[in-house]
Structure formats: C-alpha cells, structure tokens
Amino acid sequence: MRFKGPLIAALLATSMSVALQAQEPAARASQAGSGPAASMSAAEARAERLVEQLTREEKLRLVHGYFPPFVIGKPGMPTDIIPSAGYVPGVPRLGIPTLRESDASLGVANQVEQRKGDVATALPSSLATAASFDPTIAYAGGAMIGAEARAKTFNVLLAGGVNLTRDPWNGRNFEYLGEDPLLAGRMAGESIRGVQSNGIVSTVKHLALNSQETGRMVLNAKLGEAALRESDLLAFQIAIEIGQPGSVMCAYNQVNGDYACENRHLLTDVLRTDWGYKGFVMSDWGAVHSTVKAANAGLDQQSGQELDKALYFGAPLAKAVADGTVAAAQLDTMVRRILTGVIASGAMDRPLSATVQPIDYAAHADVAQRAAEAGIVLLKNERNMLPLARTAKRIVLIGGHADLGVLSGGGSSQVRSVGGAPIEIPLKSGAAASFARLTYHASSPLQAFRKLAPDVVVEFIDGGDHAAAAAAAKKADIAIVFATQWQTEAQDTETLALPDGQDALIEAVATANPRMAVVLETGGPVLMPWLDRVPAVIEAWYPGQRGGEAIANVLFGAVNPSGRLPITFPAAAEQAPRPAPVGLERLKDPAAATAAANSGGGSGVTVDHFPVDYPEGSNVGYRWYEAKAQKPLFAFGHGLSYAKFVYSKPILSGGKEMTIRFTIKNVGKVAGIDVPQIYTRPADGRWPARLVGYARVDLQPGASTEVTVTAEPRILADWSEAARRFEIASGRYRVEIGRSAGDRENAGEIQLEARAIR
Ligand code: BGC
C-alpha cells in the first residue's frame, strides 16, 4: 500500500478515529480453532448456488475493490469504510458480506497511523517466527492477528507472505519466512490456518517471485519451470495445502514475461489445474495491467483499484463481458471463487460486528513474546559470555535506542503497536517515503534488564560518541551493543554492512571491554567484520512488541535460546547469487524509482522492464552455498543453545518413503530445545543437500526422547516438465542429521524407489 504525500496530510487531518467502545467480548487467540471452516468443496457448491442468484451488476461489483484512503468521504461512498488497505461492498440481500481488508503480516497493520490511536499487537518479524521452526508458534501468531482483525471489523487479512529469500538484501525479507521451501511453506500454512480459525479470509502472497523490491513493479523475474516448481512455487503449494487460504495475492512483477496478475501459467495452469485451488486470486495493490488478459488468465478481483492506472474490472470488464472478449461464464467463475474463499474461511457465516470489540491485549502480548523468544538466534557464544553472569554489578547497554524500544520493519506490514511508537521518523525520500516511517515499538530492553536484574546497575548510552561508549563499557562489568539495520517494503538495502558507523562502535566497545555481546535487530543478514573480537552475538530480528523482554530473558538465561537461522548469513555480499539489487543503477533517478517501486503506474513515469535472472535455480540459499563450495558466515539452520544435545546412531528406512529415527539427549546442565534437521542428497551429487524434515524437541537436562522424521517426498524429487509432476528417481541417497546446513553428521545411505507425486 502507498499514499501520495498531500493525501496523507489530508487523510490524517480528517483522521477517522476508531471507536474502541466495549460491546461484546471479542474472539481471543486462545479460543482459536473453534468453528471449523466448511471445506473448500462444500463451499464451492454453495458459492455456485449464490452465483445463480446474483445479477450481472452485483457480480461486477464483487470483482473489484476500493483503496479506502483515496475514497473515504467521497460522494456515494459507503459510510462504514475505515482507512485500511481495501474494501469490497457485499450483497446484503444474499448475506454476502462486505470484504474489509487489512494488511497483517505481523499484526493488524496501521501504516502512518491512518486510524488515529488504533493500536494492535505486533509480532516479531516473520523471519523470527520461521526461526522457531515451531508450527505452534506460527499458528498462535496467526490466530492472534485474526482475533484482533475480527475485533477491529476486518474479515480479509493480507497475510501469509511466503516469497523465498533469494537475496539477503531484499527489503521485505523480514515479512517472509526464509529461504527453504519446506520450512517457509509449512510455517506460512500454519499462520494462515491460525488467521482463518477466526472465521476470516487470509491471503497467501505474493505469487510469485516477488524476490526483490527494487523495481518490483517493472522487473521480469526469469526462472525455468522445474526450478520454479522446486522452490518458490513449492513453498506456496505447501502453504496452500496446510493453510487453505481463502485467497491468493498475485505479485507486482512479471514472471517469465507476463505480469504475475495476468500470468495464465501461474494463475490457471499451476494454481487451478495442478493444485486444484478453489479460492480467489486478488491482485496486489497496483498490480493490474489489463482487463481481458487478466480476467482470462485467472485474476478474480482487482484490489485497491485507485492505485492501478485504470479501473480494469469495473466498466471495462462489463464491456468485455458484453462483447464476449471475457465470457459471461468467466465472470461467474471469478465470483464463484471469491465466494468460495469467503464461505470456506467462515467469513460468510460469522458476520463481523458493526463496532470495534474489546481485545485481550495482555494475552496477545504473551503470544508476541513467546514468538520473539522462540525466534531469537544465538549466533555465537564463547568464553561463557552468555547467559549473563549473575555476579555482574554493572551492565551498560549501548546504542539501538535500547532505552526506548525495539526496531520494526517498514511498509504495509507496519503495526502501530500497543504502547505506541516511542520513535517514529518520516522518510525524506525514496520509494518507501510515502507510506513507511522508521518506527520503534515501545518495548525497552533497558527497562526489561532492570526488571530482571534489580540488583544490577544497568545504564544506557546512545553510542553516537564511540569514545564515550568505550569509556562506559570500560567502567562496566559487561557491555551490550544493540545494533540495528532498518529495512522496509519498496526498498532494498544497498549494503549488508550495518549502517551509521555501528561496526566501528562495536570495535570500540570490544576493545574497551572484551566482556561484551552484540544484539542485532536487523531485517536479515548483515556482515560482521568484528566477529572475531566479539564473544557473543544474538540475532533478535525485529523482535516485536515484547522484544525488549524477550531479549533480556534470552541474555539472562531465563529463556534458553532455541531459534535457528531460516536464512544463510553470507560472509561477504559477493557470495550471494546476486551481490546487489538488480536494476538499482537504473532506478537511481528518484522519480523513476518511486514510479517503479511504488506507484502502480499512476505517476506517469515510465521505466523499462528489466530482467532479473536467477541462475541459482532451485538451489536457493544454503543449497547455493553448497553448490558453490562457499562457507557462509553463519549457515542456514544455525543456532546455539545453553544446553547441549547428542544424537544416537540413527535408523534409516528407504523404499517408497524416507524415514529416520534416532534418540536425542540433553547432556547439558539446563533445559533446552533442539532443532535437529535432516538433510538429504542424491549419492550421484546431482543436487546439493536439501532439508527434507526437522523436529523441535524440548528436553530437561539428562532427558532423552526418540524422534522420527519422515521426509517430505517433493523435496526428494525433481520436477519433470514432460510429465508435469514431481518424480523421485530411484537410487541411493545420503542422509545427514544437521545442527545446521553447514554442520551435518552422516546418518547413512538409503535406497529410494522411483515415485511420482502430483
Ligand atoms: C504490498 C502488499 C500489501 C498491499 C496492500 C502492497 O504494496 O505489496 O503486500 O498487502 O500493498 O497494502
């Protein structure tokens, strides 16, 4: 979503505040799971009967939606529109609800505080959720967001971002679930299931290959069919199977020459024919470029129509249906799919309240804190630096505004969190300037430290003056540097280096006091030139509304860290398949950049399409590093614990299915959670090791448990273009138990039978 400058001012001046009056208790995350949604097939049959009763005019009304900030208060507009991402009027005579859409990657979004005073619970970034490798964390987060959305009168959530992290600098990595199709797909599916447990629609987005923000509206992502099916599309496929989202959002970019939202191959051949998807495809905001081509390719609904160059699915669609360039039956199909998604999710049968309902924010904050704690990754821990010694008398926290709060990522996912924004800085320029502000959540690590360690003197210094920071570190028993890197939708970061001299700050502090640690609050990987001199590092991502508490709990050992990296951290930018955003130079002209990345074409500035090639194919992330024999800084799957785990000799079985069974024992001194990862590769080495399964086990010291992991068959397979299906080739496969993709123990070899999977 994006705004135009003057419009924001006007919008905020008229400020539609949300009445937070109490009526009836809102659904709570804890009640999630009640009211099973009708199955997609039953919903489809019901939708078909509704379509028969709709007039042509009503059908045409359902296939396009408003962008509220641009229409609120205009003559003839419905009076119940509130500022948010989208609004599609319903058909009351048939009980078809109005679709009230909000962004919701990390919580119910409220960008640039368009709804004055309306706060919501902010989860940590999706990368943190992915780092938990825990489906229950993903589900609980989704259920929490869905509960708040319903209470705030939204019934369609623009959630479920599952684009694979192909580039470490992508500005939206924090909204996605990492680089592995199995992990990302499963976690997205669980989160969608959680959202929809509230009887509302979730999307899965952005189909497909929206892998970079630079030129996202004009780039042509090029990838061969087999590679696409084995990577990005597989993540979507798994997410859809598990989550059954009511809707799929198509992406801005082109995929192999056709815009994603008019890409027949993606929207019909893959999604409908091969995957049997019955819900609806909505466009991203400003991603529609045609009427006839888009409708016939499989786009069902034009979203936020004011952001497109034209109202493609309004009068032009009526005309196209009248003259037969879009068949009347196709319009029926579009409407049937929309209604199928709405019915199957429960949104049809569980109408929204007319007014905002109360929310149990305290319970929801706990959901956010658990997600942050489960997702923090202990990257390095030497010389017993962590957990922090209880004997320390004086600790100094340095930088990162750790006195006030924790950083969040910018863009359409921005949540105005409970407690407000202690820091909020508008951007002066760039593609994100019109709709993103650098924002902190009010969760102060300093306060959390003081609460956890009341007998310790905990001080804060801002880190701007390196000499002063070094002096403060010297005076303290322990120094902790909070280093931040802000990322936002609509922009990629141009460098993986920490900005604003923070590397030098860390060096200065490490020199002054070797008893120190670094806490990273970053959108994704950063370079760490100081790593050898720093004994302990944690990756806290954007840790959400209870991030300060979560960081303190992990550092003090009240929570034993259990997160594992869902993305590779490169040792140098040159290790990545593309060391910098493609097209950056071309888009350096600010007007062109804004047009390309942000306006959907409304600005009138034309930027040529440019290709982005993905030579890594389906060897995304860690697979690329292995194929290229490169050692990253931290491998995918890496993450330390304060406990220690050992694995027994595994028992493998092959044949039709690959299974591995082994015992895992906590031989450490404290309780902890381990995430054993199973990697497999063909003995002939035709592809590098792939993550085929994993487990997450919580063990008391001395305790052990048996773990059985069955490989996801599609990960073991190659996509056959000729047969249009996954095929496992018969042969020998090597199996390994990994503590990360870069640290694997040989588990043996198995023989797999040939098998086809559709
Ligand atoms: C983003 C989507 C978002 C939509 C509506 C777009 O710019 O790409 O993820 O859901 O805006 O705000």
Side-chain angles (χ1 to χ4, degrees), residues 107-303:
V108 180
N110 185 5
Q111 310 89 350
V112 297
E113 208 185 1
Q114 51 179 318
R115 297 184 304 281
K116 273 272 170 249
D118 184 20
V119 295
T121 304
L123 289 178
S125 50
S126 299
L127 277 179
T129 294
S132 75
F133 279 64
D134 185 346
T136 68
I137 291 282
Y139 180 90
M144 180 282 287
I145 299 175
E148 293 197 0
R150 173 170 272 283
K152 291 173 187 294
T153 73
F154 293 113
N155 56 5
V156 178
L157 290 194
L158 316 178
V162 74
N163 296 96
L164 289 191
T165 300
R166 283 182 174 266
D167 295 300
W169 33 258
N170 174 28
R172 279 186 107 170
N173 281 343
F174 74 91
E175 280 187 68
Y176 303 140
L177 294 148
E179 67 195 24
D180 181 73
L182 181 64
L183 177 67
R186 284 184 179 170
M187 297 298 269
E190 290 298 333
S191 151
I192 291 163
R193 226 165 54 76
V195 168
Q196 295 198 155
S197 68
N198 294 282
I200 59 179
V201 173
S202 174
T203 60
V204 62
K205 69 186 185 184
H206 313 84
L207 189 74
L209 276 180
N210 186 174
S211 305
Q212 70 170 49
E213 291 299 283
T214 303
R216 63 179 175 166
M217 289 186 160
V218 291
L219 69 82
N220 177 21
K222 291 168 72 181
L223 189 59
E225 181 68 7
L228 198 48
R229 296 277 192 156
E230 291 170 8
S231 58
D232 296 63
L233 289 184
L234 183 54
F236 275 93
Q237 190 178 2
I238 293 171
I240 289 172
E241 285 164 4
I242 296 173
Q244 297 289 314
S247 182
V248 172
M249 187 192 294
C250 49
Y252 282 127
N253 48 284
Q254 297 186 335
V255 177
N256 296 324
D258 276 325
Y259 279 113
C261 288
E262 54 184 40
N263 192 311
R264 194 181 168 79
H265 179 62
L266 283 183
L267 304 186
T268 297
D269 302 345
V270 175
L271 187 64
R272 311 290 182 183
T273 310
D274 292 346
W275 298 351
Y277 180 69
K278 294 181 189 305
F280 66 110
V281 175
M282 68 165 76
S283 69
D284 200 344
W285 274 235
V288 187
H289 298 269
S290 61
T291 300
V292 175
K293 184 173 178 187
N296 290 335
L299 177 65
D300 302 309
Q301 194 176 64
Q302 179 183 10
S303 310

